[in-house]
Amino acid sequence: MSNTPMAANLLTRAVLEIDEYASGLGWDQPARLFALVDTARLRAQEPSLAAQLGLDDAAETTAGLTPIEQEEIAADRPLDEFLGTIAWPDAVAGCALTVERLMLPPSAEATVPEDLDGARLNQWVAEHPDRQEVRMTVAVLRDGTRESALRLREKDAPSEVLTGADLVPGLAEALGATFED
């Protein structure tokens, strides 16, 4: 992905590549799940797949993580339920998920009505004047290392993407659980 900025570590680079890919698809997209595989290992063990992914160029760096998009996540299935069904083979070094959500600023938390169930709470958030649409890309490695990228719809530019290991801790924990035995 040629427009992805160079990042300090391989996981951040992978998260930014996935964010760029999702950005190219536009907004209002379903959640997308990715396996993260060691690029050098992929080239060595699966050369035909590496070629399909455009990774067969010897001039390319061999260090890195290659995101491989998985089957589509059913829109009618709760994300936490879906993640609970995943088990990764040993060749997968990590995984990532990109998902769009509505977020409210911390100042809005004090105004949330206490008697709302899930559907009514979602409606309340969707109608809140301070809501923000956000795309979250969260990745974890088998060793527990994590990284996230957040992109606001109203500031939809690569230079406005926020990255950090603990931006979406709950989702990172759920992804990490997919590697537990």
Side-chain angles (χ1 to χ4, degrees):
M1 307 230 173
S2 60
N3 293 328
T4 303
M6 291 304 295
N9 69 60
L10 299 177
L11 189 56
T12 302
R13 174 102 176 137
V15 165
L16 290 172
E17 287 178 8
I18 294 167
D19 174 75
E20 181 183 348
Y21 168 74
S23 177
L25 298 172
W27 286 87
D28 303 318
Q29 295 292 315
R32 296 179 188 279
L33 181 67
F34 299 83
L36 299 175
V37 297
D38 178 89
T39 303
R41 183 176 176 185
L42 177 64
R43 282 191 182 131
Q45 294 179 350
E46 299 286 342
S48 61
L49 177 57
Q52 282 181 317
L53 297 172
L55 300 173
D56 57 346
D57 183 359
E60 283 276 327
T61 179
T62 58
L65 294 167
T66 298
I68 301 174
E69 188 170 2
Q70 304 301 291
E71 292 181 28
E72 189 170 308
I73 299 170
D76 62 343
R77 189 169 191 186
L79 193 55
D80 57 343
E81 181 182 302
F82 170 76
L83 291 175
T85 66
I86 296 174
W88 297 103
D90 291 340
V92 175
C95 65
L97 182 79
T98 184
V99 63
E100 296 175 14
R101 292 291 185 257
L102 292 176
M103 292 180 66
L104 293 175
S107 60
E109 288 181 23
T111 64
V112 176
E114 293 181 25
D115 61 340
L116 298 181
D117 63 10
R120 291 184 1 191
L121 178 60
N122 288 341
Q123 181 180 355
W124 184 83
V125 171
E127 294 171 354
H128 196 282
D130 295 330
R131 74 188 176 282
Q132 292 282 323
E133 291 180 75
V134 64
R135 181 182 303 118
M136 301 175 283
T137 303
V138 180
V140 298
L141 296 179
R142 283 187 182 274
D143 68 5
T145 305
R146 26 171 107 167
E147 186 62 73
S148 305
L150 295 179
R151 182 187 291 248
L152 293 175
R153 190 170 190 160
E154 76 173 23
K155 294 183 178 185
D156 192 4
S159 62
E160 297 290 337
V161 176
L162 179 65
T163 60
D166 295 317
L167 297 178
V168 192
L171 186 52
E173 289 172 20
L175 288 172
T178 66
F179 291 104
E180 294 175 2
D181 293 330

